[in-house]
Amino acid sequence: MSDHIIVTTGIYDAIKDTLRRKKVSIGEEQRLTEELRKAKQVLRRDLPADIVTVNRKVALKDHTQNFEHEYIFVPSTQEKLKKNKHSILSDIALAVVGYKVGDVINWPFRNGERKIEILRVEIWEG
């Protein structure tokens, strides 16, 4: 697994803002704070294609609940759950943002810790 996440400065700032507004659980707040401390910030054009970020279609396997699902992560203003478009600041996106294909993350969701694997990341141009 990656020892640090890779994010654009915009995503880094959005996560910091989410933390400041207390939009996450205590466990998530501690984990995100730690991840941001070690995060590598890059320009959008320098972000590898296999990293989870905004405007990417991501296939995840939840090993804890034993299911696979594909998500489209979009800016918060474009979230449309009926069309499977999830905010990059949603719980599932915050758990995997900055990680890459093949990473397995143990994440402290509000309803308990879950083990999530990133199977696929594709650029989504909606």
Side-chain angles (χ1 to χ4, degrees):
M1 188 175 93
S2 304
D3 57 350
H4 62 271
I5 60 172
I6 302 172
V7 292
T8 61
T9 302
I11 295 296
Y12 181 94
D13 291 345
I15 295 171
K16 282 285 250 203
D17 188 55
T18 298
L19 290 172
R20 195 173 63 251
R21 293 179 190 204
K22 302 287 187 200
K23 299 273 188 182
V24 294
S25 71
I26 300 289
E28 290 170 308
E29 180 181 2
Q30 291 170 341
R31 179 68 181 271
L32 285 167
T33 300
E34 181 184 316
E35 289 192 352
L36 288 179
R37 201 174 302 126
K38 298 185 291 185
K40 178 179 178 187
Q41 290 185 58
V42 298
L43 297 172
R44 186 146 191 74
R45 69 173 179 264
D46 297 331
L47 193 69
D50 65 345
I51 297 286
V52 176
T53 191
V54 71
N55 294 326
R56 301 265 163 106
K57 188 189 294 187
V58 180
L60 301 175
K61 178 169 177 75
D62 185 322
H63 290 276
T64 307
Q65 297 180 348
N66 198 28
F67 74 92
E68 289 182 19
H69 189 72
E70 200 167 74
Y71 300 85
I72 299 168
F73 294 134
V74 297
S76 298
T77 56
Q78 295 175 19
E79 181 175 62
K80 288 189 177 67
L81 297 180
K82 287 182 178 168
K83 294 187 175 184
N84 197 31
K85 294 179 185 175
H86 296 260
S87 165
I88 193 64
L89 299 174
S90 65
D91 289 351
I92 189 66
L94 287 172
V96 297
V97 70
Y99 285 100
K100 67 181 185 328
V101 172
D103 282 345
V104 178
I105 301 109
N106 290 308
W107 192 258
F109 287 94
R110 284 181 169 87
N111 58 356
E113 184 152 312
R114 288 170 28 205
K115 183 176 176 181
I116 308 290
E117 180 179 0
I118 301 170
L119 303 176
R120 220 172 34 259
V121 176
E122 302 167 12
I123 293 173
W124 182 77
E125 301 188 18

